[in-house]
Amino acid sequence: MSILDSVKTTVLVPIHREGYPFIGIAAVGTLLLVWWGAWLAWPMLALTVWVIFFFRDPVRVTPVRDGLVIAPADGRVSLVTNAVPPLELGLGEAALPRVSIFMSVFDCHVNRAPIAGKITAMAYRPGKFLNADLDKASEDNERNGLTIKSSWGAFGVVQIAGLVARRIVWWVEQGHQIGTGERFGMIRFGSRVDVYFPEGTKPLVSEGQKSVAGETVLADMASKEGARVVRIG
């Protein structure tokens, strides 16, 4: 790959329209400070570059084989456990396999559907803004959940606001048919996404692993492979 191609794929990535107001405000602030000759222009310029970086929306290559469940968010797999899903998702009161992905302020925050299906439930719940890396953030923090009914069962996806995040955005509605890897929303400035699987699912990712939205395979519903054993180091 040439240097020009590297720049195109790593720097010149598309920016999501949700970021336009924030980028505009930061850019105007920078220009005003430059015009006044204030030293704060340099930190403001750095902030503007970071805001542009935060709202990047890169193209992803999504595997779409039937049965594959794909990561809905960039970030770090912070928890792989069994947990009772939020009641508003209508997934029952029994604990289900869950994978949690924590997004830092440096991760791309556009969220993508983990599996194709029909959105049968959506529910927004106001709440606190605890550190999204904590397990109890699933219950206490502001969140927006949706249930996707697929040919492999019902999956829950929950966007959870974090310590810094103050705005959850979604672009789909109940009854919408969504495809694997399609964009469905974002969380501004640090947060987490939980995925609840049907009972018996064996996640193929481990805690600490990096995930890429729309690309990393979380589970293979068509496979009988057990949970993977990993080596850290």
Side-chain angles (χ1 to χ4, degrees):
M1 179 181 291
S2 67
I3 295 177
L4 181 59
D5 289 337
S6 297
V7 171
K8 287 181 178 178
T9 56
T10 59
V11 179
L12 301 178
V13 298
I15 304 300
H16 198 278
R17 64 180 183 279
E18 289 287 340
Y20 293 168
F22 299 92
I23 295 169
I25 292 171
V28 170
T30 300
L31 291 174
L32 288 175
L33 290 171
V34 169
W35 183 61
W36 287 332
W39 66 269
L40 284 174
W42 290 105
M44 193 64 188
L45 176 61
L47 177 64
T48 302
V49 172
W50 175 76
V51 172
I52 295 171
F53 177 74
F54 180 87
F55 284 102
R56 67 195 185 281
D57 183 16
V59 172
R60 295 291 162 80
V61 181
T62 302
V64 293
R65 176 171 66 72
D66 192 28
L68 292 182
V69 185
I70 309 302
D74 283 18
R76 173 176 52 85
V77 177
S78 58
L79 285 171
V80 179
T81 186
N82 286 346
V84 178
L87 293 177
E88 64 265 23
L89 295 182
L91 296 176
E93 299 181 5
L96 297 175
R98 187 187 76 190
V99 171
S100 301
I101 300 172
F102 176 77
M103 295 177 283
S104 78
V105 294
F106 300 105
D107 290 312
C108 174
H109 275 53
V110 174
N111 302 140
R112 294 171 179 265
I115 196 165
K118 183 178 181 179
I119 299 175
T120 57
M122 284 194 69
Y124 168 79
R125 290 286 184 277
K128 301 177 181 178
F129 297 97
L130 303 176
N131 183 351
D133 212 10
L134 301 175
D135 190 22
K136 64 179 181 179
S138 295
E139 300 178 2
D140 296 338
N141 281 22
E142 176 181 320
R143 64 179 185 260
N144 179 60
L146 54 104
T147 302
I148 301 175
K149 187 175 183 181
S150 75
S151 57
W152 297 93
F155 292 75
V157 185
V158 184
Q159 299 168 286
I160 301 170
L163 190 64
V164 181
R166 290 294 187 272
R167 184 80 167 88
I168 299 174
V169 181
W170 58 92
W171 309 309
V172 293
E173 298 179 350
Q174 189 170 332
H176 183 85
Q177 195 77 25
I178 197 166
T180 305
E182 286 187 10
R183 301 169 178 82
F184 73 87
M186 74 179 304
I187 315 171
R188 294 173 184 160
F189 307 118
S191 43
R192 173 175 140 189
V193 176
D194 288 347
V195 179
Y196 293 87
F197 300 81
E199 185 178 0
T201 302
K202 304 294 185 185
L204 300 178
V205 292
S206 301
E207 293 178 8
Q209 182 177 339
K210 294 289 291 184
S211 75
V212 178
E215 295 189 355
T216 300
V217 175
L218 298 183
D220 184 354
M221 306 302 291
S223 172
K224 295 182 180 179
E225 178 183 353
R228 289 181 176 173
V229 178
V230 300
R231 176 176 58 81
I232 301 174

